[in-house]
Amino acid sequence: MVSTTFMNLAQPKKARVTQALLQEFSAHPLAEAQVARIVTAAGIARGAFYKYFTDLTDAYQYLFGQAMRAIHAGLPGQGSAADYVAATRAFLDSVQDSEYGALIQQHFRANESVLGNRPSALAETPSAWAVAVLCHQTIKDVILAPDTQAARLQQLAAAVAKIRR
């Protein structure tokens, strides 16, 4: 878990460390990431890294959480099948336009399996769960194969329309 020491850093230093994490984890899978490159890029001592984070996985999870919060911010509300597809498209667009785009690609290409499987979130209804799973799988599939975006969004629209009836 990210330490309170890191959370209480002056904003310029915290931003420098976060940028170094982004640089490292966007360029290298978690299994190949190096604390040495992060501390050099951030201009901090190796011991400081371990005061801020338990290990590389802890640092990665912090950064990935930051990325998800930034990318999810401002997504449109959901309700109808069209709203779900629009939200999925907006998420994909925000990933492409985000400084976190390479990190998200690295996550699905290499890091998701390293972090272990996690169950999907429980939803209020079975159809809400099914739609959420389909939206997330569509996002993953498009990030892994960007040239399939139009077909996958069309497939999502058809599936969600059947579920939401």
Side-chain angles (χ1 to χ4, degrees):
M1 176 165 241
V2 176
S3 73
T4 55
T5 303
F6 178 74
M7 298 311 288
N8 292 326
L9 283 178
Q11 191 54 39
K13 187 171 188 176
K14 189 175 179 182
R16 211 171 57 242
V17 172
T18 301
Q19 188 60 39
L21 294 174
L22 180 59
Q23 180 181 327
E24 182 68 12
F25 294 130
S26 295
H28 303 280
L30 181 57
E32 298 171 13
Q34 295 180 4
V35 172
R37 287 191 294 252
I38 295 168
V39 299
T40 299
I44 61 171
R46 186 177 186 90
F49 177 88
Y50 289 105
K51 282 179 80 174
Y52 305 154
F53 308 102
T54 306
D55 54 21
L56 281 168
T57 301
D58 185 35
Y60 178 82
Q61 290 174 324
Y62 161 76
L63 181 66
F64 191 75
Q66 292 292 106
M68 288 295 98
R69 281 186 286 286
I71 293 168
H72 278 96
L75 285 179
Q78 301 173 356
S80 70
D83 291 337
Y84 280 100
V85 174
T88 301
R89 180 179 286 112
F91 182 90
L92 289 164
D93 291 345
S94 65
V95 166
Q96 291 171 356
D97 298 338
S98 168
E99 66 179 321
Y100 299 111
L103 174 73
I104 303 305
Q105 287 179 358
Q106 193 72 262
H107 177 78
F108 287 124
R109 291 191 195 292
N111 296 335
E112 185 178 41
S113 62
V114 172
L115 296 174
N117 291 325
R118 295 186 179 145
S120 59
L122 291 172
E124 290 183 27
T125 66
S127 63
W129 169 80
V131 170
V133 168
L134 288 171
C135 290
H136 284 104
Q137 186 62 46
T138 299
I139 290 166
K140 179 179 180 177
D141 291 342
V142 170
I143 288 173
L144 292 173
D147 57 321
T148 66
Q149 180 170 333
R152 291 190 188 278
L153 287 172
Q154 186 176 27
Q155 177 179 275
L156 176 65
V160 171
K162 287 183 179 187
I163 292 169
R164 299 296 292 175
R165 279 192 216 162

